[in-house]
Amino acid sequence: IRGLWSKHRRKILVTAGCLGSGYLLYKLYNSHTRRLADLQRQLANDREHDENIKAQMKAHFENIQMIVDSTTLPHAMRCLSISIREEIDVSSVMERLNRGKGVLSQSEKLHLWDQLKILSFTRMVLSLWSVTMLSLYIRVQVNILGRHLYVDTARALDTSSSHLLEELDVIDRDDEQKFLSSADFLVTNAMPGLISNMQSAVSEVLKGMQLKDVITTRVLQETLLRIVDVFMSSGSPHHWVDYLMMPQDTKLSRTTSDGSSDETVSKFNQLMVETRQVLISTEFTDIVEISLKCFTDALVEEMETQSISGGLATGMPLAKMLPQIEKTIPVIIAEPGKNQFLQLIRDMSEVQVFFTLLYASMPQ
């Protein structure tokens, strides 16, 4: 054995070293393979988890849009239509014109016709603007609220504790209701000022337009867009936001009058601040412009279709068009399920992308 060892020691040591190295490499490879398999399983689980989250968010987002169309917006539209009918009443002017046939002087007739012209256009453009803006504003509100509630609930569920779920439900139910009901501000508080400023824009654009002037489809379209542009550009930048929400709600309140902390108030104000930030953003301004133009174009086409013998397409005197304007008001302020203009705005790709991104953006 000694002779054998002495004679083959080098070969034995090399062979043992190779075997040991091979075994070590095998163990390392086996360990690496297991880690790689574990990592692949983890990645697969993460992908499945991400896909589940995306599917849940998509379903929740679609549910939010359905709530807007079926509940929130119909209520707001009913209140808006009632307010517009009550605040701008052209029936009294028309009655005076009808009763005054053969009695009123020429100057009195012209004065009443001019009033009817201003009131009719004010009512139409006000309806067009209010319906568009209120529908967009409510969608902003509900998507912001829905996203906050989804994220808060998802975070709470990760704790697997109902007790912590209550603690992480940062948006109080009263805050939620108060936030959604703030959409009534346009009807309950801002309508008089909105009507006054809209009427000023109408008077500026229609100044010099005579009752005998021929109005075509193109002229009407340009006139309506001009009125909207004059109204939107008057005053300070984004002044029109103050018709949709209270200006004082833009300040976060962290303390009450006695100096104590009030998280309930601050959460409501936080939602209002976030909403205003969206409204004054460039992206939302672009959506407003696109929506108002889409609404205007569709409205003019509708009036052209409804005009007798295609009068608007070939041109008709302004005096004859005023009664037709009054007939279009119920169509403009119709409930969402029957309002073709709201459906056009809702289905525009730009609008859908905007609200998808708004809902998907994580709250700060």
Side-chain angles (χ1 to χ4, degrees), residues 9-270:
R9 181 175 59 182
R10 184 181 183 86
K11 294 180 179 180
I12 293 172
L13 290 175
V14 170
T15 302
C18 291
L19 290 174
S21 299
Y23 179 75
L24 179 61
L25 289 174
Y26 168 76
K27 295 293 290 185
L28 290 174
Y29 174 77
N30 191 41
S31 176
H32 175 72
T33 302
R34 285 199 303 269
R35 288 199 300 269
L36 183 60
D38 291 341
L39 179 60
Q40 289 175 339
R41 282 194 297 270
Q42 182 63 39
L43 290 175
N45 291 335
D46 290 344
R47 284 195 296 269
E48 183 179 359
H49 181 65
D50 290 342
E51 290 299 323
N52 288 336
I53 291 178
K54 290 179 181 178
Q56 291 173 6
M57 288 195 69
K58 181 180 179 182
H60 191 253
F61 172 75
E62 292 173 350
N63 186 53
I64 288 294
Q65 312 315 308
M66 184 179 67
I67 291 174
V68 173
D69 293 328
S70 62
T71 305
T72 314
L73 191 54
H75 167 74
M77 286 293 297
R78 283 192 295 270
C79 296
L80 178 64
S81 61
I82 293 173
S83 178
I84 290 176
R85 285 196 299 267
E86 292 178 349
E87 296 290 341
I88 307 179
D89 183 19
V90 300
S91 60
S92 59
V93 178
M94 297 181 70
E95 289 177 4
R96 290 176 62 187
L97 280 169
N98 291 330
R99 291 199 309 266
K101 291 180 179 180
V103 178
L104 295 174
S105 64
Q106 186 66 19
S107 60
E108 289 174 329
K109 288 182 181 179
L110 290 176
H111 176 70
L112 289 174
W113 273 105
D114 190 65
Q115 277 188 314
L116 182 61
K117 175 186 69 176
I118 299 299
L119 289 175
S120 295
F121 271 89
T122 299
R123 195 178 182 197
M124 179 168 63
V125 181
L126 177 75
S127 300
L128 184 156
W129 187 90
S130 299
V131 168
T132 302
M133 299 304 294
L134 189 60
S135 65
L136 293 176
Y137 176 68
I138 288 176
R139 288 191 185 279
V140 168
Q141 272 195 312
V142 175
N143 277 281
I144 287 177
L145 180 61
R147 181 234 297 156
H148 272 277
L149 293 174
Y150 178 85
V151 172
D152 292 339
T153 302
R155 287 172 179 169
L157 291 176
D158 286 340
T159 66
S160 301
S161 170
S162 60
H163 174 66
L164 291 178
L165 175 60
E166 294 177 359
E167 292 181 355
L168 291 175
D169 190 13
V170 294
I171 300 179
D172 184 84
R173 295 302 179 188
D174 291 337
D175 268 351
E176 180 181 338
Q177 184 60 38
K178 184 179 179 183
F179 178 61
L180 292 176
S181 64
S182 66
D184 295 335
F185 178 77
L186 172 63
V187 173
T188 58
N189 296 81
M191 190 58 73
L194 174 60
I195 292 174
S196 177
N197 289 333
M198 187 67 74
Q199 188 167 324
S200 297
V202 170
S203 298
E204 178 179 337
V205 174
L206 297 187
K207 181 172 56 179
M209 185 177 290
Q210 304 297 319
L211 295 171
K212 62 182 179 180
D213 290 348
V214 176
I215 305 298
T216 62
T217 302
R218 181 177 178 180
V219 171
L220 178 60
Q221 181 185 41
E222 292 175 349
T223 300
L224 296 179
L225 291 175
R226 175 60 179 160
I227 293 171
V228 171
D229 181 64
V230 169
F231 169 75
M232 295 288 282
S233 60
S234 63
S236 59
H238 305 293
H239 71 95
W240 45 268
V241 176
D242 292 337
Y243 297 116
L244 300 172
M245 59 189 303
M246 297 177 63
Q248 57 266 37
D249 283 335
T250 62
K251 297 180 180 180
L252 283 173
S253 299
R254 291 294 178 183
T255 58
T256 60
S257 58
D258 60 0
S260 61
S261 176
D262 190 342
E263 289 298 324
T264 300
V265 174
S266 68
K267 294 304 177 183
F268 166 73
N269 282 351
Q270 179 183 344

